[in-house]
Amino acid sequence: MIDIQLLRKDPEGVARRLATRGEGALDAVLFQRYETARKELQTAVEQAQASRNRIAKDIGMAKGKGQDVAPLVEQGEKLKNLLERSDQKLAELQQEIQDFLRKVPNIPHESVPVGASSEENREERRWGTLRKFDFPVKDHVEVGEGLGGLDFATGAKIAGARFVTMRGPVARLHRALAQFMLDVHTREHGYTEVYVPYMVSGACADGVSSLAKFKGDLFKIEDRDLYLIPTAEYPVTNFVRDEIVELSNLPLKFVCHSPCFRSEAGSAGKDTRGMIRNHQFDKVEILQVVHPSKSYETLEELTGHAEAILQNLELPYRVMTLCTGDMGFSSAKTYDLEVWLPGQDAYREISSCSNFEAFQARRMQARYRGEKGKPELVHTLNGSGLAVGRTLVAILENYQNADGSLTVPNALRGYMDGIERIDRPT
RNA sequence: GGAGAGAUGGCAGAGUGGUCGAAUGCGGCAGACUCGAAAUCUGUUGUACCGCUUGCGGUACCGGGGGUUCGAAUCCCUCUCUCUCCGCCA
């Protein structure tokens, strides 16, 4: 949620900055109208409540002295009727304002390039050299199926389109990747590993993003207020929901390996081949809860942590700053890491690292006890470090050999009984 | 699944219809003592919103929602969660 004080102070300015996101901009006029009505109603209700409280107190005192309270009780009754109606109206209006505000996306940071689509994302840097292949390059589907390790038909039989099954050394490579990522982040980057529920309540989902807006992207458990998590960000960020964290405990740094479930509503026909865009995939997520003054330096650091995985795996990539129109709902600034996929002859997103500033913290009342002893909202950040499925894709494509075998990246051999190559089954 | 007990401020824990936003202890902050620290003593210390504005006033909040009442932390209904016992299960 954006800061309502800021919105009150400068509705036009906020609307202007939000408009750079492209989607239906903030209706500043509607907000002003809400505010005027709310103020008027609230003042009236609170005045009525004040008189009610005074009368109740007077009755108590009069009774204590043994005086007649009938006239006072009658006054109270009258007030009660009046209050009931206006109280309800106020509650409805406040709910409306809440709903309105919770659907407003975060304000982009000033360093974010203004643009309408991914075309206008800004490239920051590139790492690694693209391998030259002296044989026709296959995509990950061909390589994976050739190794007997990826099986989309069985995935489809079990659960439908956009599901995959893995077998043998490829399944193990997939597991090795997750282990490797967890180890690097816990050993070298100071994150604490956490294990979490793979379902969250509606309230938790609305804490990290807008449930009202993005319900369709999630899988919901029938007849329960539970959603399958689309990323570990959902459960892990909610660790600090309704908490006041001691200043000395900041920053909190968590790493979490989890499956992610996405309905991929609205992406019909997009990336239908292979395991680029599945309903279920694994991801290792890194997440930090920090002091507000530190969040932008933390964003650089956290992005570096995700990059370290790609560097260890010697996978070439580039870093993009998402433009205002391409950023997620809750983010103030996002870097995407895009890995080189020779099978697609393109860079593809493999990690997304965002600073949400106080946007999520405000939605879930996550605070720290500030320097002056007052609770203040924390800043939250997270990034994929990395999407495991897509990392496997990148390895299948970048490490493939002419004979259809796959070289195991150096960094993973310790997790694979030291084997250097996965061969085609004979 | 069955039976019972409980949920109060940062934490612990009193309070069973009327000056209760809530005793007390711990913790935090400020001060005194000290070369400094500890101990001790004194004071102070919830959050959100609204209105005039460096202060004051008002309102709401005792797990969530609803009800009874002139008045609810306190009574009633309901939901959620926690604990204990039994059953079942990895």
Side-chain angles (χ1 to χ4, degrees):
Chain A
M1 206 158 53
I2 60 168
D3 183 2
I4 189 165
Q5 310 291 3
L6 184 66
L7 187 52
R8 284 190 183 127
K9 231 187 292 162
D10 183 19
E12 301 303 331
V14 170
R16 208 176 318 112
R17 291 178 69 185
L18 284 173
T20 62
R21 280 177 165 269
E23 54 175 303
L26 175 90
D27 191 341
V29 177
L30 175 63
F31 178 73
Q32 304 262 46
R33 205 168 332 124
Y34 272 145
E35 272 294 280
T36 318
R38 197 214 83 239
K39 257 184 209 171
E40 203 174 304
L41 244 180
Q42 187 168 340
T43 313
V45 167
E46 286 183 359
Q47 268 168 13
Q49 284 169 329
S51 359
R52 179 200 60 194
N53 292 347
R54 205 174 316 110
I55 291 168
K57 223 165 241 187
D58 288 348
I59 292 174
M61 283 198 291
K63 269 198 169 163
K65 290 183 202 145
Q67 295 166 342
D68 176 31
V69 295
L72 280 171
V73 170
E74 197 185 316
Q75 261 188 62
E77 274 169 4
K78 254 187 236 159
L79 253 178
K80 189 185 168 184
N81 291 331
L82 196 135
L83 248 174
E84 256 164 26
R85 277 196 310 271
S86 46
D87 211 14
Q88 198 193 337
K89 256 202 227 153
L90 178 64
E92 279 166 17
L93 182 62
Q94 276 171 333
Q95 188 58 53
E96 245 176 278
I97 296 174
Q98 250 324 284
D99 292 347
F100 171 84
L101 281 175
R102 288 187 86 87
K103 283 188 217 161
V104 176
N106 203 356
I107 299 168
H109 188 255
E110 62 228 344
S111 66
V112 171
V114 173
S117 74
S118 55
E119 304 287 301
E120 283 153 282
N121 293 345
R122 186 210 297 145
E123 182 174 318
E124 301 295 341
R125 57 187 174 272
R126 289 186 184 208
W127 185 92
T129 40
L130 308 190
R131 181 179 158 195
K132 289 200 173 60
F133 291 88
D134 51 11
F135 57 90
V137 178
K138 298 185 201 132
D139 77 353
H140 71 280
V141 178
E142 267 186 275
V143 178
E145 287 181 338
L147 291 168
L150 289 186
D151 181 350
F152 295 94
T154 302
K157 179 166 69 180
I158 295 169
R162 293 193 193 275
F163 286 95
V164 69
T165 58
M166 294 180 229
R167 261 185 224 220
V170 171
R172 185 176 191 182
L173 189 64
H174 182 256
R175 171 163 59 94
L177 275 170
Q179 303 302 323
F180 165 69
M181 291 175 195
L182 283 166
D183 285 344
V184 171
H185 293 311
T186 53
R187 287 177 188 155
E188 290 167 32
H189 301 150
Y191 290 82
T192 302
E193 182 172 352
V194 293
Y195 171 85
V196 297
Y198 299 150
M199 302 176 205
V200 294
S201 66
C204 284
D206 200 58
V208 295
S209 183
S210 169
L211 185 59
K213 263 187 146 159
F214 302 111
K215 228 187 237 161
D217 297 340
L218 304 179
F219 286 109
K220 185 175 190 301
I221 306 298
E222 197 172 18
D223 298 329
R224 300 283 302 261
D225 178 37
L226 285 175
Y227 298 83
L228 293 183
I229 60 172
T231 154
E233 169 191 0
Y234 274 54
V236 179
T237 311
N238 277 284
F239 274 37
V240 289
R241 168 187 205 77
D242 290 325
E243 294 287 330
I244 299 174
V245 182
E246 287 305 323
L247 186 59
S248 57
N249 289 334
L250 293 181
L252 299 174
K253 299 171 75 174
F254 296 119
V255 58
C256 184
H257 170 222
S258 83
C260 304
F261 303 94
R262 300 189 181 176
S263 80
E264 296 298 343
S267 34
K270 218 187 260 178
D271 302 316
T272 47
R273 181 176 163 81
M275 50 185 294
I276 293 285
R277 193 181 295 276
N278 275 182
H279 286 313
Q280 175 186 321
F281 61 94
D282 274 33
K283 183 154 59 64
V284 171
E285 184 80 356
I286 48 180
L287 193 140
Q288 293 204 37
V289 176
V290 305
H291 189 279
S293 65
K294 297 269 165 58
S295 65
Y296 278 95
E297 69 187 77
T298 303
L299 178 62
E300 301 301 322
E301 176 197 300
L302 181 139
T303 306
H305 293 157
E307 285 179 68
I309 302 292
L310 288 166
Q311 292 174 7
N312 273 298
L313 295 171
E314 298 173 76
L315 291 168
Y317 66 90
R318 62 177 187 175
V319 181
M320 310 292 288
T321 303
L322 297 195
C323 72
T324 51
D326 200 31
M327 265 201 308
F329 176 81
S330 302
S331 179
K333 183 173 186 178
T334 298
Y335 291 123
D336 268 10
L337 267 42
E338 298 183 343
V339 70
W340 176 249
L341 295 184
Q344 296 204 6
D345 197 32
Y347 284 98
R348 291 299 305 255
E349 178 191 343
I350 195 165
S351 171
S352 198
C353 302
S354 303
N355 182 2
F356 305 98
E357 299 186 0
F359 188 83
Q360 295 179 325
R362 192 173 292 109
R363 295 174 86 85
M364 60 175 82
Q365 284 302 298
R367 296 172 293 177
Y368 69 100
R369 196 162 291 285
E371 292 76 356
K372 292 181 211 122
K374 288 273 168 204
E376 311 268 3
L377 295 168
V378 296
H379 280 195
T380 58
L381 302 97
N382 66 51
S384 352
L386 307 161
V388 179
R390 286 190 182 178
T391 309
L392 181 68
V393 167
I395 287 172
L396 289 170
E397 297 199 0
N398 283 280
Y399 281 85
Q400 62 180 297
N401 300 314
D403 63 358
S405 69
L406 184 79
T407 303
V408 175
N410 252 315
L412 298 177
R413 291 180 187 170
Y415 297 85
M416 299 283 290
D417 282 340
I419 64 167
E420 295 174 15
R421 209 179 59 225
I422 299 172
D423 289 311
R424 292 172 69 101
T426 44

